[in-house]
Amino acid sequence: MSKSILVTGGAGYIGSHTVLQLLQGGFRVVVVDNLDNSSDIAIKRVAELAGEFGKNLSSQKIDLRDKDALTKIFSSTNFDAVIHFAGLKAVGESVQKPLHYYNNNLIGTITLLEVMAAHGCKKLVFSSSATVYGWPKEVPCTEESPLFAMNPYGRTKLIIEDICRDIQRGDPDWKIILLKYFNPVGAHSSGYIGEDPRGIPNNLMPFIQQVAVGRRPALTVYGTDYPTKDGTGVRDYIHVVDLADGHIAALQKLFEDSNIGCEVYNLGTGKGTSVLEMVAAFEKASGKKIPLVMAGRRPGDAAIVYASTAKAEKELKWKTNYGIEEMCRDQWNWASKNPYGYCGLPDNSN
Ligand code: NAD
Ligand code: WQD
């Protein structure tokens, strides 16, 4: 009998890629998403890409804070585990609207955990973030590195991590894996699903992609005086399909390791790449010139962040398969086939 997984936020960027890998791995999947930052077209495309496994996917438009609606979902299916992606993730917006972030991310998670507990479903994979390493004094960041919230978004991740540790301490039946993603980029190799941010992109790759398709005139490079090889910020970019596979590995760990309590793993490649290196790789993959405007540092940015991957490699038996070249190739494949994302048309709010 195949296992049933509830995926919150499964219509989003990382969620949709993970749902596809789950279906192809033989899992049954129920997605709940309020579609605040995503499109149901992504779910339809995932079902198509999954071929015969597409029949094992269902999805419901639900806000996680709607406890009655969530309870109905749990009453109709016995879930073996939950992967919890749903949340707001824009750092700048979280500084402007902290209550909105605390309400959505914390109340949503607490409601989910309450409903899970009430239905005896106590296996959870949670999307945390490398943002909780703050401005690392040392790289690579290991799972033991000090944690620090640089903004309300990051604080929601830290608080949820603590909530998870607390509930597991209080009830050892809980088995929880906290995954700290570094910088997810790229898209499924079909070019049929990918990242489709609303409004002006906050992150580097979606911005580069929109310059390449002519939606924006130039990329602003934030900071050219960092103590790095070329003065620009260094990050650990990870292909979203590798990241999605990391969730399957985490689920296997939850199902197979009876001793696991609440455990944390970095999901990254362990390699640092600068902004200018990323631009050069994208230009090579796309054949497009990306005009640059050199600017000062973006407030709050760290100089160099990359992961130690040793723990995930050893304990989850997972490692990345794709490098920068494939990330840029697949990002461009998605962008060139879907220059305006899932809606297919210019969005006047941009
Ligand atoms: P995304 O915005 O594409 O996906 C999140 C999904 O959650 C969206 O589909 C949104 O509609 C849904 N959602 C938000 N609040 C909800 C609520 N209250 N009820 C139901 N659905 C809700 O983001 P993503 O990039 O796929 O990120 C997924 C998770 O990974 C998030 O928790 C994010 O914080 C975390 N994360 C993302 C990154 C990144 O760079 N993309 C890095 C580290 C961690
Ligand atoms: C990468 C590099 C920028 C945009 C963010 C969140 C983090 C996590 C991942 C969710 C930096 C530079 C960027 C641009 C630029 N998300 N840059 N011009 O800041 O590492 O992490 O996404 O958890 O929480 O903070 O990613 O893609 O924004 O930036 O020069 O237009 O690109 O300065 O050096 P970041 P990013």
Side-chain angles (χ1 to χ4, degrees):
M1 185 64 183
S2 52
K3 290 195 158 52
S4 292
I5 311 297
L6 179 79
V7 180
T8 77
Y13 172 45
I14 305 169
S16 55
H17 287 81
T18 304
V19 169
L20 179 56
Q21 299 306 102
L22 284 167
L23 293 170
Q24 288 173 337
F27 292 93
R28 306 181 76 81
V29 178
V30 176
V31 165
V32 295
D33 197 305
N34 64 6
L35 303 181
D36 245 27
N37 195 39
S38 51
S39 162
D40 57 358
I41 299 172
I43 291 295
K44 291 194 185 97
R45 291 193 182 179
V46 165
E48 285 171 34
L49 286 170
E52 56 169 320
F53 294 114
K55 65 178 186 318
N56 294 333
L57 172 63
S58 69
S59 99
Q60 303 231 19
K61 187 179 174 195
I62 283 175
D63 191 297
L64 277 191
R65 293 163 292 181
D66 183 345
K67 196 169 189 174
D68 291 343
L70 208 52
T71 298
K72 269 193 197 140
I73 304 259
F74 275 83
S75 303
S76 59
T77 307
N78 281 325
F79 292 109
D80 295 285
V82 173
I83 305 182
H84 177 31
F85 292 106
L88 299 172
K89 62 163 184 177
V91 167
E93 189 187 46
S94 83
V95 175
Q96 302 304 318
K97 302 180 187 171
L99 286 177
H100 184 48
Y101 271 65
Y102 289 126
N103 188 312
N104 191 81
N105 293 4
L106 299 183
I107 309 286
T109 302
I110 291 168
T111 309
L112 172 70
L113 294 171
E114 285 174 348
V115 176
M116 286 176 70
H119 291 81
C121 174
K122 296 183 182 175
K123 291 191 177 73
L124 175 75
V125 177
F126 171 64
S127 305
S128 189
S129 167
T131 193
V132 301
Y133 293 124
W135 298 278
K137 286 205 179 70
E138 278 175 35
V139 282
C141 301
T142 76
E143 287 80 353
E144 277 73 46
S145 294
L147 303 180
F148 178 74
M150 301 188 287
N151 47 61
Y153 164 70
R155 198 159 293 114
T156 67
K157 293 296 181 196
L158 277 186
I159 293 170
I160 294 169
E161 287 199 3
D162 280 339
I163 291 173
C164 289
R165 290 186 191 97
D166 285 343
I167 59 172
Q168 201 283 326
R169 229 173 266 135
D171 175 357
D173 285 350
W174 279 97
K175 297 185 190 308
I176 302 177
I177 289 185
L178 310 170
L179 295 177
K180 290 190 168 119
Y181 314 152
F182 281 68
N183 291 59
V185 298
H188 187 259
S189 61
S190 63
Y192 211 42
I193 55 172
E195 186 169 14
D196 182 17
R198 301 228 163 128
I200 301 168
N202 299 300
N203 300 116
L204 181 66
M205 278 305 260
F207 206 104
I208 292 180
Q209 156 184 335
Q210 292 196 4
V211 174
V213 299
R215 287 172 67 176
R216 309 202 180 268
L219 171 75
T220 304
V221 176
Y222 295 130
T224 52
D225 59 349
Y226 285 112
T228 60
K229 41 198 151 186
D230 58 23
T232 65
V234 166
R235 295 291 183 275
D236 186 340
Y237 298 94
I238 173 171
H239 196 295
V240 67
V241 174
D242 276 332
L243 187 66
D245 284 336
H247 292 74
I248 316 292
L251 278 182
Q252 300 300 1
K253 179 84 174 161
L254 286 182
F255 293 135
E256 287 163 14
D257 185 348
S258 54
N259 293 320
I260 195 163
C262 181
E263 208 53 65
V264 49
Y265 295 99
N266 287 339
L267 294 185
T269 64
K271 295 187 186 76
T273 304
S274 75
V275 174
L276 293 182
E277 286 173 331
M278 209 60 184
V279 170
F282 190 89
E283 286 182 334
K284 191 166 172 227
S286 64
K288 298 277 176 186
K289 184 84 197 138
I290 305 296
L292 303 179
V293 175
M294 299 310 201
R297 296 181 180 191
R298 189 172 62 176
D301 271 0
I304 306 177
V305 185
Y306 59 89
S308 162
T309 58
K311 187 177 177 194
E313 282 181 23
K314 181 163 179 264
E315 297 181 19
L316 298 181
K317 298 175 181 56
W318 165 92
K319 65 178 177 54
T320 55
N321 290 314
Y322 302 113
I324 297 299
E325 208 173 297
E326 288 98 348
M327 296 178 212
C328 291
R329 176 198 68 196
D330 293 340
Q331 185 95 28
W332 175 240
N333 187 33
W334 155 251
S336 53
K337 287 180 175 157
N338 305 272
Y340 288 93
Y342 289 112
C343 77
L345 293 167
D347 170 358
N348 293 330
S349 70
N350 288 353

